[in-house]
Amino acid sequence: MRISNVIVSAAVVGLAVWLEPSPSLSLDGTPSPNAAAVPPPATLSSAPDTAVSVPKASLAPSNSPLSPSDAFRRATEALKAGERKNALTSLQYAADHGHGVALWQLGRMYAEGDGVVRNDKRAFEYFRKFADSHADDHPSTPRSRFVANAFVALGQYYLDGIPNSSIDPSPERARRMFYHAASYFGDPEAQYQLAMLYVDGKGVDREARRAVPWLLLAANKGHYKSQALLGRILFHGEHGARQRASGLMWLTVACDGPGATVNWIAELRENAFKQATDRERAAALVLLERWVEGRR
């Protein structure tokens, strides 16, 4: 499935999202039995998209010809040794000869300015070609997590646009990228990004209740930002009726790890703890113990 098949008409995709499963939230913070079974998006009619041309390597690694796998292995060794220039040459060679993960690695390097001058347009091109070639990879394959990450990166580029390029801001296209990675690959970061669109009302109607199922899926995979946002929504009842004990439980879970050093998460948890009654704190502790036991 090409990315052009992911970029579909707003009306059809809107219907698909309306039909997305909405796992119910139980008191112990676990999804209903059908919550984890999120179906892949249907193959729909295509719409025009930006043409992509990935720069060709001007120089092959020494001792060529190499297989794409050998070139990628050489690039990996060069990266470990801090030899960014040699790694870049080998990665470009591997990518030009069909090594998909090499495309992803080049995309990450240009997106982060890692050993190269940051170039979001070039990063977009690498992610675009990689995702376009592997959108239908089975979710259980080792490569699928890289494909999902490429879709998330594309979604973020579409969300904000790329200055001085043909990539204009398009929250709707961003949503389609996030939705494919969230539903087909079950990627927690994509699930969080998709939920954020519903929370912020970007490209969709602002509906926190539709963010909750995606946040719950990601939260149960240990995604601390999803745990914190889910806790906030439940504690304050942004999705409907307040569930303060469940909200405090998720905020506590979010702070048990990397989230503890994130200011906005720590502040959410501290404020919720102060506002909660003794009874709600006790109930949150029971829910937390159940959740931890369930993880074991």
Side-chain angles (χ1 to χ4, degrees):
M1 177 183 70
R2 297 180 61 80
I3 286 184
S4 58
N5 289 335
V6 178
I7 304 296
V8 295
S9 66
V12 175
V13 173
L15 176 60
V17 171
W18 183 253
L19 295 177
E20 292 167 11
S22 300
S24 59
L25 185 67
S26 60
L27 287 178
D28 63 357
T30 58
S32 63
N34 295 324
V38 183
T43 301
L44 303 173
S45 59
S46 62
D49 198 354
T50 306
V52 174
S53 59
V54 175
K56 295 291 185 180
S58 58
L59 183 65
S62 60
N63 300 324
S64 59
L66 294 174
S67 70
S69 295
D70 287 339
F72 184 75
R73 190 177 302 110
R74 177 174 292 183
T76 300
E77 293 171 354
L79 286 172
K80 291 180 179 179
E83 300 171 355
R84 291 293 192 269
K85 185 176 180 180
N86 291 337
L88 184 63
T89 300
S90 296
L91 283 171
Q92 288 178 330
Y93 179 87
D96 291 342
H97 291 79
H99 197 288
V101 180
L103 285 169
W104 175 85
Q105 183 66 63
L106 285 166
R108 288 260 61 92
M109 290 177 70
Y110 279 103
E112 299 168 4
D114 181 14
V116 295
V117 176
R118 178 172 174 172
N119 188 321
D120 289 323
K121 183 61 170 65
R122 181 168 288 189
F124 177 91
E125 291 171 346
Y126 282 121
F127 287 134
R128 172 70 163 79
K129 185 171 183 179
F130 178 52
D132 192 49
S133 301
H134 300 283
D136 286 329
D137 279 12
H138 195 280
S140 66
T141 62
R143 184 170 54 194
S144 66
R145 65 189 180 95
F146 299 105
V147 181
N149 181 267
F151 270 100
V152 171
L154 289 171
Q156 291 169 333
Y157 279 130
Y158 277 129
L159 191 61
D160 300 324
I162 301 177
N164 304 316
S165 78
S166 60
I167 310 303
D168 296 322
S170 176
E172 177 60 20
R173 284 189 172 187
R175 189 184 67 79
R176 293 166 187 170
M177 298 296 103
F178 294 147
Y179 178 72
H180 184 64
S183 60
Y184 183 69
F185 291 107
D187 183 79
E189 179 64 23
Q191 291 165 348
Y192 171 75
Q193 294 292 340
L194 184 59
M196 283 295 297
L197 295 184
Y198 286 112
V199 171
D200 295 336
K202 290 186 177 180
V204 294
D205 292 335
R206 180 176 292 176
E207 293 182 275
R209 68 177 183 84
R210 299 183 68 180
V212 169
W214 295 110
L215 291 173
L216 187 57
L217 289 171
N220 276 308
K221 296 171 186 172
H223 193 272
Y224 67 87
K225 291 183 292 184
S226 295
Q227 292 167 345
L229 183 56
L230 177 62
R232 189 198 83 184
I233 290 174
L234 296 179
F235 188 84
H236 294 288
E238 297 172 29
H239 67 310
R242 290 189 300 179
Q243 295 175 269
R244 290 166 71 97
S246 292
L248 182 57
M249 183 273 285
W250 280 116
L251 287 169
T252 302
V253 170
C255 286
D256 184 24
T261 61
V262 180
N263 289 337
W264 67 270
I265 295 178
E267 290 176 3
L268 279 175
R269 198 269 176 183
E270 182 179 358
N271 291 334
F273 187 82
K274 289 179 179 178
Q275 296 174 34
T277 64
D278 290 340
R279 184 175 181 178
E280 288 166 343
R281 293 172 189 169
L285 180 59
V286 172
L287 294 177
L288 179 61
E289 291 172 347
R290 289 178 182 174
W291 186 82
V292 171
E293 187 63 28
R295 298 280 285 184
R296 290 174 180 168

